[in-house]
């Protein structure tokens, strides 16, 4: 027999159910779990509590509802034979406290169904940012959440600061990844695209034992803002123990050019000549700008076309 066939689980295989024959003597100790629920859930829990008790009685687990204290308690009995039944009962009351309807929450008592309550309240600092990202997880009219439910085969409930998920183990793993990535500002559509590709690839029996990395898309962040560089960069000069040279005064400049020894009339004449030279340059430039409008543009050569007979 090929080793790869031994490692794969056959399609449609289910683990046999845990029966009384597996544990005929029952449990040695009594176990119990309790959880608080918010005030707004009181009316609904009071209405559906008989159904909760009926569902747990099948597994020989007692359930009590304390409306004064605002708590739900589940306890094992002498007839309880499944040791994991109390854990499933604990998850059931947790889901009911997190606004999951009874019709969905009761599925946790099945062997192939598990639940995951993801706390998202402390993942984002600003409240406004948290509300935006939580809304992004829901999508317009709940479309993103519905797509995620269809791809993972899980029931997802976004309520307050938590996300409750109910379904198979493989689906819960994907749901947790999508929820945490959304809170890290990664849009859920990228993960949904990846899940869609994985779903199609899993249908091909030849690709089961191969790596799917080459088929999965690799998304890069495009909206990363680069830090703007300042216009004036302050660069530190090298330290020198000597002071900087003293700037030249106006008298020093005149001595260097020889203007200092000229008479007052000669100095005045020189300044007037400099002003006239500047004016002449300005007039010349202005005249050139005006003449540009009278220069004719270069015409394209005319190409003669042959007329057809």
């Amino acid at each position: 027999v090929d080793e790869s066939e031994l490692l794969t689980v056959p399609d449609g295989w289910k683990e046999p159910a845990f029966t009384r024959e597996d544990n005929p003597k029952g449990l040695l100790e009594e176990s119990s779990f309790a959880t608080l629920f918010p005030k707004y859930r009181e009316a609904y829990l009071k209405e559906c509590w008989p159904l909760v008790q009926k569902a747990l009685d099948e597994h020989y687990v007692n359930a009590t509802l304390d409306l004064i204290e605002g708590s739900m308690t589940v306890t094992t009995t002498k007839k309880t034979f499944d040791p994991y039944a109390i854990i499933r009962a604990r998850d059931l009351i947790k889901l009911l406290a997190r606004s999951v309807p009874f019709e969905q929450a009761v599925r946790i008592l099945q062997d192939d169904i598990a639940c995951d309550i993801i706390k998202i309240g402390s993942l984002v600092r600003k409240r406004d940012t948290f509300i935006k990202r939580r809304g992004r997880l829901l999508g317009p009219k709940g479309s993103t959440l519905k797509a995620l439910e269809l791809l993972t085969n899980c029931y997802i409930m976004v309520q307050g600061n938590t996300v409750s998920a109910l379904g198979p183990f493989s689906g819960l793993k994907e749901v947790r990844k999508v929820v945490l990535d959304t809170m890290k500002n990664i849009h859920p559509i990228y993960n949904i695209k990846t899940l869609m590709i994985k779903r199609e690839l899993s249908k091909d029996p030849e690709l089961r034992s191969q790596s799917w990395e080459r088929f999965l898309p690799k998304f890069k962040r495009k909206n990363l803002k680069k830090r703007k560089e300042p216009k004036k960069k302050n660069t530190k000069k090298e330290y020198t123990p000597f002071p900087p040279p003293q700037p030249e005064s106006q008298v020093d400049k005149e001595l260097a050019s020889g203007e200092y020894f000229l008479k007052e009339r000669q100095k005045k004449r020189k300044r007037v000549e400099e002003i006239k030279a500047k004016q002449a340059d300005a007039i010349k430039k202005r005249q050139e700008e005006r003449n540009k409008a009278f220069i004719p543009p270069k015409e394209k050569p005319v190409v003669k076309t042959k007329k057809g007979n």
Side-chain angles (χ1 to χ4, degrees), residues 8-111:
T8 54
V9 178
D11 293 330
W13 182 85
K14 279 188 179 182
E15 195 174 340
F18 193 87
T19 57
R20 188 170 282 280
E21 286 79 29
D22 297 316
N23 187 16
K25 293 183 180 180
L27 307 176
L28 293 172
E29 292 290 334
E30 184 185 279
S31 302
S32 65
F33 289 100
T35 186
L36 299 171
F37 60 86
K39 186 74 176 173
Y40 62 85
R41 289 292 288 168
E42 189 177 310
Y44 180 79
L45 290 171
K46 195 176 178 181
E47 187 182 338
C48 74
W49 198 249
L51 297 170
V52 175
Q53 285 179 321
K54 188 182 177 182
L56 290 174
D57 280 343
E58 293 175 9
H59 298 270
Y60 304 102
V61 176
N62 284 339
T64 52
L65 177 68
D66 191 346
L67 295 173
I68 297 162
E69 196 178 308
S71 67
M72 294 178 280
T73 312
V74 286
T75 318
T76 56
T77 61
K78 289 180 180 179
K79 290 183 179 179
T80 310
F81 63 88
D82 187 359
Y84 202 72
I86 187 66
I87 303 295
R88 296 191 185 282
R90 178 203 65 183
D91 291 341
L92 173 64
I93 59 172
K94 271 188 180 181
L95 291 169
L96 289 169
R98 293 312 312 151
S99 298
V100 177
F102 170 75
E103 291 79 11
Q104 292 291 340
V106 78
R107 289 169 56 210
I108 195 66
L109 299 173
Q110 298 172 20
D111 286 339

Side-chain angles (χ1 to χ4, degrees), residues 110-177:
Q110 298 172 20
D111 286 339
D112 56 343
I113 300 291
C115 75
D116 190 9
I117 296 169
I118 309 155
K119 292 178 182 178
I120 57 172
S122 60
L123 297 175
V124 184
R125 284 185 182 180
K126 292 182 181 178
R127 185 69 185 170
D128 296 340
T129 312
F130 168 73
I131 291 164
K132 278 182 184 177
R133 290 181 187 176
R134 188 179 64 182
R136 197 182 290 169
L137 187 64
L138 293 166
K141 297 180 182 179
S143 58
T144 307
L145 197 70
K146 189 68 182 173
L148 198 60
E149 284 182 347
L150 290 168
L151 288 166
T152 57
N153 296 322
C154 293
Y155 173 81
I156 306 164
M157 181 76 185
V158 181
Q159 175 69 21
N161 293 333
T162 58
V163 177
S164 305
L166 184 78
F169 292 98
S170 58
L172 292 175
K173 187 181 175 182
E174 296 293 345
V175 170
R176 177 171 275 273
K177 184 182 180 297

